[in-house]
Amino acid sequence: MRDLVWLIRHTLKRTFSNKRNILLYFGTPLIGIIISLLVYGGSTAKDLHVGMVNHDPHYITNDTIRFIKSIEHISVTNVKESEIDDKITSGKLDCVVIFHSGFSQSVQEGRPSHIQIVSIRGTEITGFIKSYLYHYIDNIAALGQIAKGDEHTFLEMYKRYQQAPFNMSVHSLQDTSKHKYMTYQTIGYLLMIMLLSAGNLAEIIIKEKENRTYFRLLSTPINAKQYVLSNVIVNMIVMTGQIIITLIMMDTVFHIKTNIPFWQMTTILMLFALVAIGVALMTVAFASSSASSGAMQNLLTVPTCMLAGCFWPVDIMPAFAQKMADFLPQRWALDTLLKLQQGHHFGSLYLNILILFAFALAFFLIAVYKFGRNHSVGNFL
Amino acid sequence: MNILEIKNVTKKFGDFIAVDNMSLTVAEGEIFGFLGANGAGKSTTINMISGLLRPNAGEIKILGKDIGKHSHFAKRNIGIVPQDIAIYEDLTAYENVKFFAGLYGLRGSQLHERVEEALQFVGLSDKQKSYPKNFSGGMKRRLNIACAIAHRPKLIIMDEPTVGIDPQSRNYILASVKKLNEMGCTIIYTSHYMEEVEEICTRIAIIDHGKIIAEGTKEQLEAIITNTKDVWIGVKSMDNMDINKLKAISGVKAVQCEENMVKISSDIGVNNLNRIIQCLMNDGVEIRSLEEKSPNLETVFLTLTGRNLRD
Ligand SMILES: Nc1ncnc2c1ncn2[C@@H]1O[C@H](COP(=O)(O)OP(=O)(O)OP(=O)(O)O)[C@@H](O)[C@H]1O
Ligand SMILES: [Mg+2]
């Protein structure tokens, strides 16, 4: 036991006496957070891009457009009707407001019409615009009703209304779905980093075989099982660090709400850490040199992470790819977290947890079997 | 007391038998030499003693205890100096020795003292803060030894500790081996250099094809073949010479050719010199010189194994 601790301390010290490794193991998980901030726009709400088509040049229409421009987080551009489809489908515009000729007339008469909102993003966008726009138009229309068609009265009231200080408080909606996406993105990236780190750390076994120190170690009271165990523990320590650092940074620095209790999140990720160690030991057991294990790990990790949906939701992938993803542990870890976010009870996810366990167990067993058959000590002595 | 007992040990790699039913004992206080050509099975035997390989059959005891059942005990009493240098290039000389010694349970000031002692022993005290990547081959070999002795093992097994190093480092290492022995360590020493084994070993085993074919002190080994005499014959050319004809002459045990010299070892009681000369002359070989030599360890090895120690 004392010897085991001595060996673990030695491996940790050797690994982290190289400052680059500190950055490699504990800096890279944060890249995931930064990517998710870039993709999902960070903590400030994203601007809405609204296009305007004005077929009704009149002061009421112009003022309405000016009003929309004054709303926070909305940027307005004038477009031609012919460009609408193109700009909306390409995502350059979130929606387009079309003022058909007769709009100002209808407002003045108290029955607003001849206005149209085009969007493919559905109610979450149009609803936001509509709520402001219709509120404003309704107010003007109310003036029209009061004026009962008297142009002069309407104009008087309209001027006063326009001059009244506009008291409008804008609430950015707390967008929980955005936090969910960001959590998913960050954790997906963390899973990949964990797999790569586990691979790197397990590779120490091969490197120590290559520099022969492994064989000297085995001639000391340390045996092969303790030696591999020490590597597993080092691996576990490093990955626990990665998990804790990522979760704490997400919460305290970047204010990303995972919507999952800390201990549940940690449990699932630690379980995945075991899977990652299993995969790493398996590659090491099969690899003939540190170069080939490195290549094997890269070849395995990045594509499976893509397939398992570590970088984007699996639903956007073709059906056969989704089926294949079911054979990947990353998929199950992410699926568990998604379900926890959706409010599933931790206990009800025993099947997911069992499957993750099974993955870890299977990889460990394959590694142990293969290690047991690697009798060759080469020309140690 | 016997520090090492090997009884009927066999090690196979697939169908290949690397160590073949070997038995051997080493007493406490000996410097035991292990002689054998490349692939004879020396390292395989040492790997089994140190617990890296498990024998297919037979038993190995350290200080009377079976190493399979008492591996901890065995490992604590053995120090291995491996043939291939096994040190960390990214740790200083001091850290290297400290790490390995720590695995034997040493801690604190005792650990520190033992590490300094070991480094001083191999003459690396002034280099203890340096990294092995800047060391010469000889210095690395010496550090390789220091890592094996800091825990003060009773039995030190050295597998070719002087291979590929400068004469100064080699002399230093040979002197250290003697000093360790004087301090009470038993040493098993493997080398390709016959002179080294002759110089320091108190007992020698000759191993070939996984078997011990002779064992004893230098004098005892030479006695095995004192019933052999060597005749060195200088010839002009060996083109027409038929070695098999020479070997067929009664009393001839071995024939070895080197440049323009033929060495013929025969039983001492048989007088066959005439027939040898006749045989050569019949083949038209021109004899230039003729000399009889007394045997040495090299002769012993050659006589017994029929091959040279170094290829
Ligand atoms: N792991 C292994 N698998 C298969 N064959 C092996 C293995 N280890 C050693 N051998 C074979 O066993 C034989 C004995 O090897 P060993 O290393 O013991 O020789 P040695 O006497 O130490 O030689 P050297 O002087 O070259 O170090 C050799 O023929 C070698 O090829
Ligand atoms: Mg050898």
Side-chain angles (χ1 to χ4, degrees):
Chain A
M1 183 61 201
R2 254 163 56 120
D3 300 340
L4 190 64
V5 173
W6 184 259
L7 185 54
I8 292 167
R9 268 184 41 195
H10 160 81
T11 307
L12 284 173
K13 223 174 78 189
R14 262 189 80 220
T15 306
F16 292 110
S17 68
N18 184 347
K19 302 286 172 287
R20 238 186 39 216
N21 281 339
I22 299 179
L23 203 67
L24 183 71
Y25 288 115
F26 299 119
T28 43
L30 303 182
I31 293 177
I33 304 183
I34 290 161
I35 291 177
S36 79
L37 287 178
L38 291 177
V39 172
Y40 294 104
S43 51
T44 54
K46 218 169 114 191
D47 275 9
L48 274 185
H49 297 281
V50 180
M52 293 290 165
V53 182
N54 190 353
H55 293 309
D56 185 47
H58 186 273
Y59 65 83
I60 291 182
T61 319
N62 294 342
D63 285 340
T64 309
I65 292 175
R66 203 177 306 134
F67 165 77
I68 295 172
K69 279 182 181 167
S70 75
I71 304 173
E72 259 182 79
H73 299 310
I74 288 189
S75 68
V76 171
T77 43
N78 292 317
V79 291
K80 294 196 191 87
E81 190 142 18
S82 57
E83 303 170 333
I84 293 176
D85 282 353
D86 194 30
K87 292 213 163 160
I88 286 215
T89 47
S90 69
K92 284 193 186 111
L93 292 176
D94 296 302
C95 70
V96 173
V97 183
I98 306 168
F99 299 95
H100 296 288
S101 83
F103 166 72
S104 49
Q105 183 70 31
S106 68
V107 173
Q108 211 169 341
E109 284 164 5
R111 294 183 308 281
S113 62
H114 297 86
I115 180 166
Q116 189 189 352
I117 297 180
V118 184
S119 169
I120 51 165
R121 301 270 311 264
T123 49
E124 65 174 296
I125 297 298
T126 49
F128 178 68
I129 296 282
K130 269 185 193 160
S131 64
Y132 281 108
L133 188 59
Y134 288 180
H135 180 68
Y136 173 83
I137 294 171
D138 284 347
N139 284 349
I140 310 289
L143 301 181
Q145 280 170 0
I146 295 164
K148 289 200 177 78
D150 180 359
E151 182 110 8
H152 185 70
T153 322
F154 176 80
L155 203 59
E156 278 300 303
M157 286 193 291
Y158 182 80
K159 269 185 190 157
R160 236 180 290 146
Y161 178 74
Q162 287 293 338
Q163 276 157 10
F166 232 106
N167 254 341
M168 198 167 61
S169 62
V170 177
H171 297 280
S172 306
L173 288 174
Q174 176 74 20
D175 189 350
T176 57
S177 71
K178 193 180 75 194
H179 281 259
K180 279 184 189 166
Y181 290 137
M182 283 165 76
T183 303
Y184 185 91
Q185 185 90 43
T186 306
I187 301 298
Y189 189 82
L190 176 64
L191 296 188
M192 181 184 77
I193 295 298
M194 283 167 70
L195 284 167
L196 291 174
S197 309
N200 265 336
L201 288 168
E203 214 173 281
I204 294 174
I205 296 177
I206 299 191
K207 290 208 174 116
E208 294 199 326
K209 278 188 182 173
E210 283 169 352
N211 73 15
R212 322 300 299 165
T213 50
Y214 169 76
F215 301 102
R216 192 195 270 288
L217 275 166
L218 292 198
S219 75
T220 74
I222 290 286
N223 62 35
K225 278 187 205 117
Q226 287 171 313
Y227 176 77
V228 174
L229 181 64
S230 83
N231 189 277
V232 169
I233 294 173
V234 166
N235 232 318
M236 216 54 205
I237 291 171
V238 171
M239 276 192 275
T240 308
Q242 292 180 326
I243 293 167
I244 305 272
I245 287 177
T246 307
L247 293 184
I248 287 180
M249 290 298 268
M250 273 172 87
D251 186 44
T252 59
V253 179
F254 296 98
H255 305 292
I256 301 172
K257 299 277 166 281
T258 63
N259 218 18
I260 301 173
F262 185 82
W263 72 266
Q264 292 184 359
M265 187 78 140
T266 316
T267 309
I268 300 299
L269 289 174
M270 295 281 264
L271 197 52
F272 185 78
L274 283 179
V275 176
I277 296 170
V279 174
L281 288 181
M282 197 176 68
T283 7
V284 161
F286 278 95
S288 52
S289 69
S290 57
S292 72
S293 92
M296 254 157 87
Q297 252 134 30
N298 287 336
L299 222 62
L300 274 179
T301 306
V302 180
T304 56
C305 281
M306 286 180 174
L307 197 58
C310 285
F311 308 128
W312 45 70
V314 261
D315 345 336
I316 68 165
M317 292 195 295
F320 79 93
Q322 291 187 34
K323 285 234 171 63
M324 274 164 73
D326 282 345
F327 292 97
L328 299 169
Q330 298 100 306
R331 169 89 205 94
W332 289 95
L334 288 169
D335 185 65
T336 314
L337 295 179
L338 277 178
K339 285 186 173 144
L340 286 172
Q341 278 186 328
Q342 286 160 10
H344 286 252
H345 194 258
F346 191 79
S348 72
L349 296 174
Y350 64 92
L351 192 65
N352 280 42
I353 292 164
L354 218 62
I355 287 172
L356 280 174
F357 250 123
F359 269 115
L361 195 68
F363 292 139
F364 269 101
L365 286 178
I366 294 171
V368 165
Y369 174 77
K370 184 66 187 153
F371 269 130
R373 312 204 78 201
N374 291 349
H375 281 309
S376 153
V377 288
N379 46 349
F380 165 48
L381 288 155
Chain B
M1 176 155 194
N2 285 330
I3 198 159
L4 172 69
E5 280 171 57
I6 297 179
K7 219 186 261 174
N8 305 110
V9 164
T10 296
K11 180 69 196 176
K12 292 181 194 164
F13 297 109
D15 288 336
F16 179 77
I17 301 174
V19 173
D20 190 0
N21 197 25
M22 182 190 285
S23 295
L24 177 77
T25 54
V26 177
E28 247 177 304
E30 288 190 281
I31 302 182
F32 192 88
F34 233 29
L35 274 181
N38 289 110
K42 306 180 297 288
S43 296
T44 306
T45 307
I46 292 174
N47 279 334
M48 289 190 287
I49 300 170
S50 58
L52 290 176
L53 285 176
R54 202 164 291 164
N56 295 94
E59 60 175 8
I60 301 174
K61 284 182 181 169
I62 296 287
L63 289 164
K65 291 187 180 179
D66 186 273
I67 61 162
K69 290 183 201 122
H70 302 92
S71 80
H72 222 263
F73 172 83
K75 284 170 156 192
R76 272 177 195 280
N77 283 297
I78 301 179
I80 301 276
V81 179
Q83 184 172 334
D84 296 311
I85 296 171
I87 50 176
Y88 292 102
E89 300 266 319
D90 57 342
L91 295 183
T92 63
Y94 182 90
E95 288 166 337
N96 263 291
V97 181
K98 183 181 162 190
F99 167 60
F100 288 111
L103 290 172
Y104 293 91
L106 296 169
R107 293 290 184 278
S109 59
Q110 196 192 21
L111 174 62
H112 177 70
E113 278 163 25
R114 294 285 181 85
V115 174
E116 299 230 299
E117 178 189 287
L119 284 168
Q120 187 165 13
F121 197 85
V122 298
L124 285 175
S125 284
D126 52 334
K127 294 283 179 195
Q128 54 173 277
K129 291 215 172 70
S130 311
Y131 291 91
K133 50 180 170 255
N134 308 319
F135 281 7
S136 71
M139 285 159 78
K140 283 186 191 175
R141 286 262 162 220
R142 285 187 274 156
L143 179 58
N144 199 33
I145 294 174
C147 289
I149 61 172
H151 62 287
R152 288 194 185 158
K154 291 208 172 86
L155 173 64
I156 300 171
I157 306 178
M158 297 182 163
D159 200 343
E160 309 199 21
T162 55
V163 97
I165 60 172
D166 55 292
Q168 222 175 337
S169 281
R170 177 201 286 213
N171 289 338
Y172 201 106
I173 289 173
L174 289 179
S176 318
V177 172
K178 282 187 186 159
K179 215 160 95 192
L180 281 167
N181 183 245
E182 279 159 23
M183 286 162 61
C185 291
T186 309
I187 288 154
I188 296 178
Y189 192 93
T190 301
S191 177
H192 276 181
Y193 298 99
M194 193 68 78
E195 322 82 72
E196 289 183 358
V197 175
E198 277 190 313
E199 185 187 331
I200 61 169
C201 293
T202 55
R203 219 150 58 88
I204 298 154
I206 294 176
I207 168 170
D208 196 37
H209 296 298
K211 285 190 173 119
I212 289 180
I213 53 172
E215 189 190 334
T217 61
K218 184 182 166 229
E219 289 73 26
Q220 284 170 337
L221 287 178
E222 282 166 5
I224 297 175
I225 55 158
T226 41
N227 56 354
T228 307
K229 61 178 178 194
D230 288 346
V231 184
W232 291 75
I233 302 171
V235 295
K236 191 182 176 199
S237 143
M238 292 188 187
D239 295 346
N240 298 324
M241 205 174 77
D242 187 342
I243 290 180
N244 288 329
K245 265 194 204 163
L246 284 172
K247 279 182 177 166
I249 295 170
S250 79
V252 172
K253 285 167 119 184
V255 178
Q256 193 198 4
C257 303
E258 242 170 51
E259 285 172 38
N260 283 344
M261 294 294 276
V262 187
K263 195 180 96 181
I264 300 168
S265 312
S266 337
D267 285 334
I268 222 159
V270 186
N271 200 342
N272 54 9
L273 195 55
N274 270 343
R275 263 190 277 165
I276 292 170
I277 293 170
Q278 205 162 19
C279 173
L280 289 172
M281 283 168 56
N282 282 349
D283 285 345
V285 179
E286 191 183 324
I287 296 172
R288 288 269 172 92
S289 67
L290 201 145
E291 189 189 354
E292 273 198 24
K293 273 188 184 170
S294 65
N296 62 10
L297 210 47
E298 193 111 33
T299 330
V300 175
F301 189 84
L302 183 74
T303 314
L304 293 175
T305 67
R307 49 181 176 160
N308 266 318
L309 200 47
R310 263 164 284 167
D311 299 324

